[in-house]
Amino acid sequence: MNPKFFNQLGLAMRAGKLVTGDEGVFKAIRSGEAKLVIMAEDASANTRKKFQDKCQFYGVTLMEIATKYELGRSIGKEMRVTIGVLDGGFAQMLQKSQENPAEVEHIDQ
């Protein structure tokens, strides 16, 4: 997994630009506050469908990445299935870090 992505997610949390939990994220999507929704890859099929449909309807980008434990750990919480990013700058930064995961790959010697 990309450590840069998780560091940036933690930074967004400390800046107060994230919302977590199904209801909080749904509310942010409906109100237009959510610029990006991050969902755990191991989310249930029902949760996955609900968020895919809601994000598609409201035109919010949805990223499926990591496990719910990795997402929670990166923001200093227990496990988290969904995270809403409320700031456009953070949303763009997180998406770019997934497009270019690492500038330098690990070298095995």
Side-chain angles (χ1 to χ4, degrees):
M1 213 58 315
N2 181 0
K4 182 178 178 182
F5 176 84
F6 292 118
N7 290 338
Q8 292 171 343
L9 198 57
L11 182 64
M13 181 65 181
R14 290 188 295 283
K17 302 297 181 183
L18 299 182
V19 63
T20 63
D22 287 1
E23 284 307 311
V25 176
F26 274 140
K27 185 178 176 184
I29 293 169
R30 279 189 223 109
S31 68
E33 290 180 90
K35 309 301 183 216
L36 172 69
V37 174
I38 301 165
M39 183 171 52
E41 292 173 339
D42 57 351
S44 71
N46 186 34
T47 300
R48 183 177 307 250
K49 172 125 177 63
K50 282 195 297 189
F51 277 94
Q52 287 171 341
D53 292 348
K54 190 69 73 174
C55 286
Q56 184 178 5
F57 182 79
Y58 285 95
V60 178
T61 303
L62 175 68
M63 290 176 69
E64 293 186 41
I65 185 168
T67 66
K68 42 190 157 191
Y69 296 103
E70 290 171 325
L71 287 179
R73 192 174 335 126
S74 69
I75 61 171
K77 305 279 184 192
E78 246 346 93
M79 64 179 196
R80 289 294 187 264
V81 177
T82 55
I83 298 173
V85 181
L86 305 177
D87 180 80
F90 276 115
Q92 193 172 36
M93 182 173 63
L94 288 163
Q95 287 175 300
K96 281 185 181 175
S97 73
Q98 277 309 105
E99 292 169 6
N100 307 325
E103 307 265 332
V104 178
E105 294 295 325
H106 294 286
I107 301 172
D108 295 325
Q109 294 186 22

